[in-house]
């Protein structure tokens, strides 16, 4: 199997495993997977707090994010806050009622990491960190059209 295919299959499997584990949170808190994903994203990316950020970085459709945001507002888990400088820009903020959901999501994330990193030594994890930092840097540079450094 080609390395590229293997990489994509592996990454897809990781995402599918995480989604499978996150479904427990959905059942427990009566959420869709997209709604749980939005809460998780906002919890872990406080500086990225618009629907456009979620669409771009989580690769979800605008329609799915819009529907999910509206449902979370209706459930009193999320609120919209207009930007002070640009009224067209709307920030999304988790409300206190979302705390039990974020706690459940944190537990799933910890379990996910324990599952996928099981059996790795400290040294292997340090190599993994350096490997992915370089991989992400190379990707960012390529996306920005820079030469390799």
């Amino acid at each position: 199997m080609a390395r590229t295919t293997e990489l994509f299959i592996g990454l897809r499997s990781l995402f599918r495993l995480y989604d499978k584990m996150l479904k427990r949170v959905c059942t427990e808190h009566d959420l869709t997977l997209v709604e749980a994903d939005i809460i998780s994203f906002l919890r872990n990316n406080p500086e990225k707090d618009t629907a456009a950020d979620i669409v771009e970085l989580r690769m979800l459709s605008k329609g799915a994010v819009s529907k999910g945001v509206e449902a979370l507002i209706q459930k009193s888990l999320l609120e919209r806050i207009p930007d002070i400088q640009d009224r067209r820009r709307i920030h999304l903020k988790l409300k206190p009622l979302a705390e039990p959901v974020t706690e459940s999501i944190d537990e799933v994330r910890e379990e996910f990491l324990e599952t996928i990193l099981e059996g790795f030594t400290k040294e292997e994890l340090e190599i993994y960190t350096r490997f992915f930092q370089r991989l992400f840097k190379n990707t960012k540079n390529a996306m920005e059209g820079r030469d390799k450094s």
Side-chain angles (χ1 to χ4, degrees), residues 37-45 48 53-54 57-58:
D37 212 1
I38 290 168
I39 292 172
S40 176
F41 180 87
L42 291 171
R43 163 76 167 208
N44 294 297
N45 301 283
K48 302 285 187 185
D53 291 331
I54 297 167
L57 297 171
R58 286 295 295 131

Side-chain angles (χ1 to χ4, degrees), residues 100-111:
V101 179
T102 59
E103 288 172 5
S104 295
I105 289 171
D106 289 347
E107 289 170 11
V108 165
R109 179 174 295 104
E110 187 63 34
E111 182 185 343

Side-chain angles (χ1 to χ4, degrees), residues 19-64:
D19 284 350
K20 179 181 176 183
M21 295 172 85
L22 194 58
K23 283 181 184 175
R24 288 197 315 262
V25 174
C26 296
T27 302
E28 181 182 342
H29 297 282
D30 192 29
L31 300 170
T32 67
L33 201 50
V34 170
E35 292 166 3
D37 212 1
I38 290 168
I39 292 172
S40 176
F41 180 87
L42 291 171
R43 163 76 167 208
N44 294 297
N45 301 283
E47 70 289 348
K48 302 285 187 185
D49 64 353
T50 67
D53 291 331
I54 297 167
V55 167
E56 178 186 352
L57 297 171
R58 286 295 295 131
M59 296 183 288
L60 298 170
S61 73
K62 282 183 181 181

Side-chain angles (χ1 to χ4, degrees), residues 4 6 20 25 28 41 43 53 59 64 68-69 80 100 119 124 139-140 148:
T4 305
E6 192 175 332
K20 179 181 176 183
V25 174
E28 181 182 342
F41 180 87
R43 163 76 167 208
D53 291 331
M59 296 183 288
V69 164
R80 290 186 183 99
E124 288 171 326
T139 302
K140 182 180 178 196
K148 294 179 184 175

Side-chain angles (χ1 to χ4, degrees), residues 103-149:
E103 288 172 5
S104 295
I105 289 171
D106 289 347
E107 289 170 11
V108 165
R109 179 174 295 104
E110 187 63 34
E111 182 185 343
F112 172 75
L113 289 173
E114 286 174 10
T115 299
I116 66 169
L117 299 176
E118 183 180 348
F120 283 91
T121 65
K122 182 179 177 190
E123 293 77 21
E124 288 171 326
L125 292 174
E126 288 170 0
I127 292 168
Y128 153 87
T129 300
R130 288 194 309 271
F131 172 84
F132 275 98
Q133 284 173 341
R134 189 179 318 157
L135 182 78
F136 297 147
K137 179 183 176 199
N138 291 347
T139 302
K140 182 180 178 196
N141 289 344
M143 292 294 291
E144 294 173 354
R146 292 191 208 153
D147 292 329
K148 294 179 184 175
S149 54

Side-chain angles (χ1 to χ4, degrees), residues 63-76:
V65 171
S66 178
K67 185 177 176 182
V69 164
E70 196 55 46
L72 290 169
I73 289 169
Q74 294 300 315
K75 294 175 183 179
S76 299

